[in-house]
Amino acid sequence: MEGWKKALLAAAGAGGVAAVLWYLLAEEAEGQASEDGAAAPEGGDNRKSGQGVVATGDVSKDQVIRILGDMVASQDRMKVLMKDLKAKMLAKDMDFAETYEHVRSVQPDDPLERHGLSMSDFDELVSKHQNDPQVMQGIMQIMGMPDESKVGQGKPVGEAQVIAVHAFMLQELENQLKDFSKIVGQKAWDMKTVALASQAIVAAKVERKYGLTSEDIEGAVMQNRQTLASNAEFAEINQKMQVAMSKLMGAPG
């Protein structure tokens, strides 16, 4: 793993690991799609399958910073759309395929694709500029690193409930893996959209069961980060969540 990824994982602690893992898994899924054709995205765009069309040596640091800004703006837009989707899902159940199609129809275009870069190209550029404060600040924003200023602003949630919520999230991810495995061969799937659909389903089910939003959970993890960091059960659950998401995003097409 490149040095900048190790640094992010170390800085994330208990609060930001999920976002970092999602990014790493998205990269892994893209790599699998380009190597063996599995889970190829719809439309056949080479930029979506890990084959960039821009020489990374021609991309300046200022351009990297602008691309990171575009990625943050796209992510912020997607957060708004996901909240709207979650509200719809709380009012009416949607299966995985329905959720996927909804996400695919509303999600913003990928800034990397717009700039003709693959995920591996992006990694190369970030690694090249990993000692630049502006570049790493942009990466931290994309990764959803925990905001220390928000500690204590959400609902008060104890360590035991945080672990219970994450155990429920794991159960739901494993259920989605079973459901997705039954339909995966019916069409080509964009694996980043699969990840977003999965995230939306889990978020809606957690809020329905526990009355907690994603922001509440993030805040709760931050509130309890010192004890969670040494909690073996919490660590095991997060490891299993990583395995489940990796399987979900790497499912054969």
Side-chain angles (χ1 to χ4, degrees):
M1 183 186 295
E2 290 92 332
W4 68 271
K5 293 177 184 175
K6 289 182 179 178
L8 279 169
L9 282 169
V17 169
V20 178
L21 288 178
W22 179 89
Y23 180 86
L24 299 180
L25 291 169
E27 177 185 18
E28 175 186 317
E30 182 181 71
Q32 289 172 343
S34 64
E35 288 174 8
D36 56 26
E42 297 164 76
D45 190 333
N46 284 341
R47 290 173 297 176
K48 291 185 180 181
S49 61
Q51 300 173 20
V53 295
V54 171
T56 54
D58 296 333
V59 182
S60 68
K61 184 189 75 174
D62 288 341
Q63 287 176 303
V64 173
I65 292 171
R66 284 196 295 271
I67 291 169
L68 287 168
D70 288 347
M71 294 174 73
V72 171
S74 178
Q75 187 178 66
D76 288 343
R77 173 61 177 159
M78 195 64 218
K79 286 178 181 178
V80 174
L81 294 170
M82 291 286 276
K83 284 186 177 181
D84 179 64
L85 172 58
K86 184 175 68 174
K88 288 181 170 66
M89 296 175 72
L90 287 170
K92 178 180 178 290
D93 285 335
M94 296 170 64
D95 63 21
F96 194 97
E98 289 176 302
T99 306
Y100 173 90
E101 288 300 331
H102 183 91
V103 172
R104 190 171 69 88
S105 69
V106 301
Q107 69 184 104
D109 67 318
D110 187 332
L112 291 183
E113 293 172 25
R114 192 189 321 138
H115 290 279
L117 296 168
S118 69
M119 187 71 80
S120 59
D121 294 331
F122 177 69
D123 283 343
E124 181 180 338
L125 290 169
V126 172
S127 295
K128 181 180 178 182
H129 300 289
Q130 62 181 306
N131 294 321
D132 183 87
Q134 287 180 284
V135 171
M136 293 315 293
Q137 182 181 10
I139 288 293
M140 290 176 72
Q141 287 181 278
I142 292 170
M143 296 295 196
M145 300 297 282
D147 186 347
E148 296 282 348
S149 67
K150 294 183 179 180
V151 175
Q153 293 184 10
K155 294 182 180 179
V157 180
E159 179 184 5
Q161 189 171 13
V162 171
I163 293 173
V165 168
H166 280 73
F168 177 74
M169 292 166 65
L170 171 61
Q171 179 184 359
E172 290 303 321
L173 276 176
E174 291 175 340
N175 288 340
Q176 286 177 51
L177 178 58
K178 292 177 184 176
D179 292 341
F180 186 53
S181 297
K182 296 175 183 177
I183 62 173
V184 69
Q186 298 177 9
K187 59 183 290 183
W189 299 84
D190 180 276
M191 302 317 292
K192 292 179 185 177
T193 307
V194 167
L196 288 169
S198 176
Q199 177 185 334
I201 293 170
V202 170
K205 292 194 173 185
V206 167
E207 186 163 347
R208 182 177 292 159
K209 182 176 177 66
Y210 293 96
L212 297 171
T213 65
S214 299
E215 292 77 12
D216 291 331
I217 296 169
E218 179 183 345
V221 171
M222 285 296 293
Q223 290 170 23
N224 297 277
R225 65 191 182 282
Q226 291 184 340
T227 54
L228 288 172
S230 59
N231 188 294
E233 182 182 5
F234 185 71
E236 182 181 4
I237 290 171
N238 276 282
Q239 176 64 29
K240 288 181 177 178
M241 287 175 65
Q242 178 186 355
V243 171
M245 183 61 82
S246 182
K247 288 181 179 179
L248 179 65
M249 297 180 69

